[in-house]
Amino acid sequence: MVQRYAPIARWNGSGDWFVSVPAWRLDKIIDRQRVEGVLSVITDELTAIIQTAIANACGAGEFALNLADLTIKLEKPANKQHGDFSSNIALTLKKLTGIADSREIAHTIVKFLPTNSTLLNRAEVAGPGFLNLYLNPDWLHNTLTTIQELKAGYGTSTGREGQNILVEFVSANPTGPISVVNGRAAALGDVLCNLFVSQGAKVGREFYINDALNSLQLEKFAFSVALRYLQELGHSVLVPVSGPDDNDVTEPGTGETSAEPTLEFPKDGYRGEYVRDIARDIVIEIGAKYAYPLALGAEGMAYFRAATLEKMVATQRRALEAFGIKFDTWFYESSLYESGAVDRAIRLLRERNMAYEKDGALWLRSSEFGDEKDRVLVRSNEKATYVAADAAYHDNKLTRGYNHLIDIWGADHHGYVARLKAGVAALGHDTSHLEIVLTQMVSLVRDGEAVIGGKRKGAVIELEQDLIDEVGRDAARFYFLLNSYETPATVDVELAKKQSMDNPVYYVQYAHARLCSIMQKVADELTVMSSEIDLSLLTHPAELDVMRKLADYPAEVTVAADLYAPHRLTRYAMEIAGILNVFYENCRVISGKDDLVSPELSRARLELVSSARIVIANLLGLLGVSAPQKM
RNA sequence: GCGUCUGUAGCUCAGUGGAUAGAGCAUCAGUCUUCGGAACUGAGGGCCGGGGGUUCGAAUCCCUCCAGGCGCACCA
């Protein structure tokens, strides 16, 4: 069985449920015509024109083929000298018609193309038999009219109406702050949600908090905080130091009293500076209420456990909000235990004969659902594993009315995909609407050296403090959205800070601000400008380039949503900004004292400026990046 | 070892089987400044990791090898 979690482009066509591309998404890919905006109308019409020409050629006896087999694909040539659109239809007809020379086929099709089309200006045969189609330029002018009509709606679609998607992302353990490493999934998840909404879907953003009582990590974390708390109260702490000699170091207490005895910090304790911050917070709140040894007793630990969790989650939430992300739900794993959902799921799995006892544990028959082997649901110490909790969790998601679930995980969780799906399937759910998106790893580098260790050793590079506070939200988001999530990334925060002014986000924002500036000037000053708009005056190559790019926008958004590829939008953003700068250099909008521009042309260009501004604003909106009027 | 992802310009990376493989940064050379110079123009730089195969056509699909990341628990 082939297991693939790669995106749509890699779909292998086998149709089994390990393929992470559900059927409805595939439909979207094939059915590009549903993209709203001018472009879809154009491609529909061009396709029809070619289809008719081929049908007529058949009627005239030129070709003998079954028209039902015909699929006409249009593409936008990379080189604009190859026309506004091109088709490879003649090349694909080689076999079907039995005609060896595809140029000959292409010429025949051209012969049967209508000569009276208001859309199609001319067609040429090029290369090995490409059909290059050149359109009358007014289709581009219609693009501006459409943008002015739709405004913020330009680039939206109804293609995903009826979909109710839950996207769970980041879900960092509550034992540390949101790290720069989480930034990629955070930006990806947030923008994907924006994209789905733009396509008509309903979307929920969810953060899952791993706070289960039977997990040891929270105990250790709370214990670490308790020790730091006692240190604040005056106790010395013996802290392990990883180094060549591996000696422990005694850190003196920081409080007024120098109390005994010296406390021992566990080797696998959490040593980050943020742990002290939490401890100091707690000292401020409760003072010495849990002085030694109360802090380490049952009641004290229960307090520290709850207080640390609350503070850590609040810190995470604040960091994500600083990044521009607001989650609809913060889902506590513990709630699944409290509500009995985990027990219920385990009982159900037993009843359905999806689980069996062995070696004192309860096992899930996950191998029957494509997993490599069976997995433990309930350990021999009677505690449930996360497999049980996750199955119950995803069952819960489905009961909340979502018809599509997306989990964004790091690639290091790759091995868990099969067992989660097995768990959900064993509960009787159709897993074709459960999709796991795996982002490739983000590794951290500081001044060229790899940062290793992570939370336990305290080497966390924080998303908020170390990146957002330094370079700003816009640059930070754009940075993470520049590349595909499938590419492993290296983040050097020091380098990112040094180069922050080179961030392409400023290039895009600058283009937007410039357009605003022109519009503002027109509004402020008495400029000579026609009241009538004649868009056909826009014929300069730079103007045509801008309009072509604007026409692409709705399809670009849909593709970005379908392929889960926000980086297409950042790339598009840089391209449109570049094209606009060329326009700006070459085409003066406001007529100056020298009368370089006629009032009519001036008015038409203003329409172009206004439309481009709308598209950039819509685009930056999807990316969660601000579109400033001034910089 | 098994699984999976990645390998494209000096660096970071785009590239939905199509035409001469692109962008940003960096480097070098220009523009000279009437609507915002955070700009524009140009140049250099590539056996698309190697080798087979499928196809009219392959960076893209298949096989294989090489290199790197990640995973392979009664941890989450």
Side-chain angles (χ1 to χ4, degrees):
Chain A
M1 180 178 292
V2 180
Q3 296 190 19
R4 279 208 169 276
Y5 311 108
I8 188 84
R10 306 274 161 69
W11 189 64
N12 64 7
S14 71
D16 75 75
W17 64 264
F18 271 103
V19 173
S20 65
V21 179
W24 58 264
R25 212 174 122 192
L26 198 67
D27 291 344
K28 287 295 302 171
I29 297 294
I30 293 164
D31 189 7
R32 276 290 152 63
Q33 320 297 351
R34 288 167 71 186
V35 173
E36 293 207 343
V38 182
L39 210 60
S40 62
V41 182
I42 307 269
T43 49
D44 280 352
E45 195 174 334
L46 284 177
T47 309
I49 287 175
I50 295 172
Q51 207 150 21
T52 311
I54 293 173
N56 290 342
C58 287
E62 298 274 3
F63 308 134
L65 38 87
N66 185 358
L67 291 171
D69 297 342
L70 216 58
T71 42
I72 293 167
K73 204 177 127 198
L74 288 176
E75 41 191 84
K76 280 192 335 280
N79 185 341
K80 65 188 172 195
Q81 287 170 0
H82 293 148
D84 294 300
F85 292 92
S86 72
S87 175
N88 62 354
I89 186 72
L91 294 158
T92 61
L93 282 179
K94 225 168 144 171
K95 246 184 193 147
L96 288 169
T97 58
I99 299 171
D101 184 2
S102 41
R103 285 186 62 98
E104 186 190 325
I105 301 171
H107 279 295
T108 306
I109 296 172
V110 169
K111 212 163 70 185
F112 283 90
L113 285 172
T115 49
N116 60 347
S117 170
T118 51
L119 179 65
L120 186 64
N121 182 323
R122 67 198 159 90
E124 282 175 5
V125 176
F130 288 104
L131 216 52
N132 291 344
L133 308 171
Y134 300 82
L135 307 189
N136 290 321
D138 55 339
W139 75 280
L140 284 174
H141 301 137
N142 289 339
T143 298
L144 299 190
T145 314
T146 305
I147 294 170
Q148 291 301 327
E149 276 167 14
L150 296 177
K151 296 272 193 309
Y154 185 69
T156 62
S157 142
T158 55
R160 284 178 187 266
E161 259 176 17
Q163 291 179 16
N164 195 359
I165 308 171
L166 182 69
V167 183
E168 181 215 320
F169 59 110
V170 185
S171 299
N173 283 329
T175 53
I178 299 296
S179 141
V180 167
V181 171
N182 300 123
R184 170 183 256 186
L188 172 69
D190 191 47
V191 176
L192 274 186
C193 288
N194 291 343
L195 280 166
F196 295 149
V197 169
S198 82
Q199 304 297 297
K202 285 172 70 179
V203 165
R205 290 168 168 84
E206 186 152 301
F207 188 112
Y208 184 61
I209 301 162
N210 290 109
D211 68 331
L213 288 162
N214 60 1
S215 87
L216 291 174
Q217 58 168 3
L218 271 188
E219 291 304 325
K220 283 178 184 161
F221 183 58
F223 186 66
S224 301
V225 174
L227 289 180
R228 291 301 190 194
Y229 165 82
L230 292 173
Q231 190 181 10
E232 289 297 315
L233 293 184
H235 292 264
S236 298
V237 179
L238 189 64
V239 182
V241 175
S242 46
D245 41 4
D246 229 24
N247 287 332
D248 293 353
V249 169
T250 302
E251 294 183 6
T254 56
E256 296 293 318
T257 61
S258 103
E260 290 298 321
T262 295
L263 303 160
E264 207 168 314
F265 204 88
K267 287 225 181 319
D268 58 354
Y270 290 80
R271 272 176 268 167
E273 195 54 33
Y274 64 93
V275 176
R276 288 181 203 267
D277 292 341
I278 293 174
R280 288 188 192 113
D281 263 13
I282 289 175
V283 170
I284 291 166
E285 277 173 32
I286 65 166
K289 182 176 172 189
Y290 289 108
Y292 186 85
L294 288 180
L296 306 179
E299 192 196 327
M301 282 311 296
Y303 166 79
F304 277 100
R305 202 178 177 291
T308 351
L309 177 66
E310 187 202 319
K311 287 178 191 304
M312 206 64 252
V313 170
T315 305
Q316 292 185 335
R317 185 190 305 231
R318 200 178 52 235
L320 289 163
E321 282 178 4
F323 201 44
I325 302 175
K326 211 159 164 53
F327 283 91
D328 298 297
T329 36
W330 290 74
F331 194 100
Y332 286 80
E333 180 185 9
S334 57
S335 71
L336 292 168
Y337 288 91
E338 285 159 13
S339 69
V342 176
D343 288 340
R344 217 177 310 124
I346 291 169
R347 200 183 332 120
L348 191 59
L349 289 170
R350 271 188 210 270
E351 284 168 13
R352 294 172 56 87
N353 193 27
M354 295 296 174
Y356 62 91
E357 310 260 359
K358 193 183 91 180
D359 303 333
L362 185 70
W363 295 72
L364 174 71
R365 297 186 195 280
S366 45
S367 60
E368 290 182 18
F369 295 92
D371 198 359
E372 291 168 2
K373 52 185 172 182
D374 291 347
R375 307 289 175 177
V376 171
L377 273 175
V378 181
R379 294 169 218 161
S380 48
N381 67 7
E382 301 197 340
K383 287 184 174 179
T385 64
Y386 72 92
V387 177
D390 275 350
Y393 175 40
H394 286 79
D395 179 68
N396 173 290
K397 287 180 177 177
L398 290 166
T399 63
R400 283 185 271 154
Y402 294 104
N403 53 26
H404 192 78
L405 307 180
I406 296 176
D407 293 2
I408 298 178
W409 296 354
D412 53 338
H413 290 70
H414 159 256
Y416 315 131
V417 174
R419 73 190 74 167
L420 171 67
K421 289 199 172 184
V424 176
L427 281 171
H429 293 296
D430 170 14
T431 50
S432 66
H433 290 314
L434 166 60
E435 195 171 4
I436 314 297
V437 173
L438 297 174
T439 67
Q440 287 305 305
M441 304 309 288
V442 176
S443 50
L444 291 180
V445 172
R446 195 186 274 279
D447 286 331
E449 297 226 359
V451 176
I452 45 171
K455 285 176 201 165
R456 303 256 164 138
K457 290 183 176 169
V460 183
I461 298 187
E462 297 188 28
L463 180 65
E464 186 177 12
Q465 286 181 17
D466 295 320
L467 192 65
I468 301 174
D469 289 352
E470 298 285 343
V471 306
R473 175 201 292 186
D474 290 342
R477 284 184 72 112
F478 210 85
Y479 180 82
F480 283 113
L481 293 169
L482 227 32
N483 301 328
S484 157
Y485 67 84
E486 291 176 279
T487 310
T490 306
V491 176
D492 187 327
V493 175
E494 299 307 320
L495 201 65
K497 279 189 236 168
K498 275 179 211 150
Q499 294 183 347
S500 66
M501 282 313 283
D502 291 330
N503 193 308
V505 73
Y506 298 113
Y507 186 69
V508 179
Q509 290 179 320
Y510 178 71
H512 181 267
R514 253 185 170 178
L515 298 177
C516 289
S517 168
I518 293 175
M519 294 171 70
Q520 191 59 48
K521 207 164 176 103
V522 171
D524 288 347
E525 298 171 13
L526 285 175
T527 47
V528 184
M529 196 168 278
S530 165
S531 55
E532 295 290 312
I533 305 174
D534 181 4
L535 295 174
S536 68
L537 296 172
L538 300 174
T539 55
H540 191 283
E543 293 167 337
L544 296 177
D545 281 348
V546 173
M547 288 188 286
R548 256 190 272 273
K549 201 69 190 168
L550 296 178
D552 286 345
Y553 178 69
E556 207 57 52
V557 176
T558 302
V559 172
D562 290 344
L563 299 182
Y564 299 180
H567 71 278
R568 283 173 162 272
L569 296 184
T570 49
R571 306 256 161 191
Y572 175 94
M574 291 191 283
E575 286 166 17
I576 185 89
I579 292 170
L580 277 166
N581 280 326
V582 174
F583 162 78
Y584 180 87
E585 296 289 329
N586 291 287
C587 305
R588 196 184 161 80
V589 176
I590 300 169
S591 32
K593 44 182 181 291
D594 302 335
D595 263 351
L596 294 172
V597 188
S598 74
E600 291 76 21
L601 181 57
S602 189
R603 184 65 191 88
R605 283 180 172 168
L606 185 66
E607 201 70 354
L608 180 70
V609 165
S610 163
S611 302
R613 193 208 63 79
I614 289 169
V615 170
I616 293 189
N618 292 355
L619 174 61
L620 291 178
L622 283 175
L623 295 174
V625 169
S626 68
Q629 303 201 347
K630 286 179 180 153
M631 294 176 70

